[in-house]
Amino acid sequence: MSPRKRRALAIAGGLGLLALAAALVLNALQSNLVFFFSPTQVMAKEAPASGSFRVGGLVEQGSLRREADGLTLRFVVTDTAHTVPVSYQGLLPDLFREGKGVVVAGKLGPDGVFRATEVLAKHDENYMPPEAADALKRAGAADAGAAPAQAMRAEAR
């Protein structure tokens, strides 16, 4: 084999390996990508029917129920326009409360109940996750906690 053909073969092999590595990295990123949706978007079927995503809003007052097994919890997430029932098995964050901001990650079941694998609660009195605050604002009736969250984000800039 001539040196020219050997060099062309080495370059083609290197490009093939580079393309394979790029495809593997992009596939890993795609499978770990989790999008955020508001309850209104979930009810409008804008969220994926299969696959993981996040839902954020407020925990509806009076909706928190603990099942007989002691670990399964049911509650409702709302953006004041629509609601999504959530089922979660595990321990809740200490700051999880009814009427407070929450973001849950998981999948929507065929029965319309969101099966959460992770629950994220706001971390202090003045903070709500930006996605949840924006979803509440778009729904038209943000709670009193959204204004301090906007002020806190403005101060951070």
Side-chain angles (χ1 to χ4, degrees), residues 6 15 137:
R6 199 175 306 145
L15 287 175
K137 189 188 317 177

Side-chain angles (χ1 to χ4, degrees), residues 29-141:
L29 288 175
Q30 181 68 23
S31 64
N32 289 326
L33 198 58
V34 180
F35 290 103
F36 175 86
F37 294 93
S38 70
T40 298
Q41 291 172 312
V42 172
M43 290 297 123
K45 307 243 187 273
E46 294 176 23
S50 63
S52 295
F53 60 95
R54 290 182 175 175
V55 176
L58 299 173
V59 178
E60 194 170 72
Q61 290 287 349
S63 69
L64 184 60
R65 305 274 185 261
R66 189 173 299 274
E67 297 291 320
D69 65 5
L71 283 179
T72 304
L73 298 147
R74 295 187 183 274
F75 56 94
V76 175
V77 175
T78 182
D79 61 3
T80 68
H82 291 90
T83 61
V84 174
V86 177
S87 174
Y88 175 68
Q89 188 169 20
L91 300 174
L92 290 172
D94 290 338
L95 297 175
F96 181 88
R97 303 270 187 278
E98 290 179 343
K100 300 295 183 180
V102 68
V103 175
V104 293
K107 294 181 179 185
L108 190 62
D111 57 354
V113 175
F114 189 80
R115 311 269 187 248
T117 56
E118 182 180 22
V119 175
L120 306 169
K122 68 183 210 173
H123 72 274
D124 72 11
E125 285 301 313
N126 297 322
Y127 179 78
M128 178 181 291
E131 297 93 348
D134 292 341
L136 289 171
K137 189 188 317 177
R138 280 194 305 274

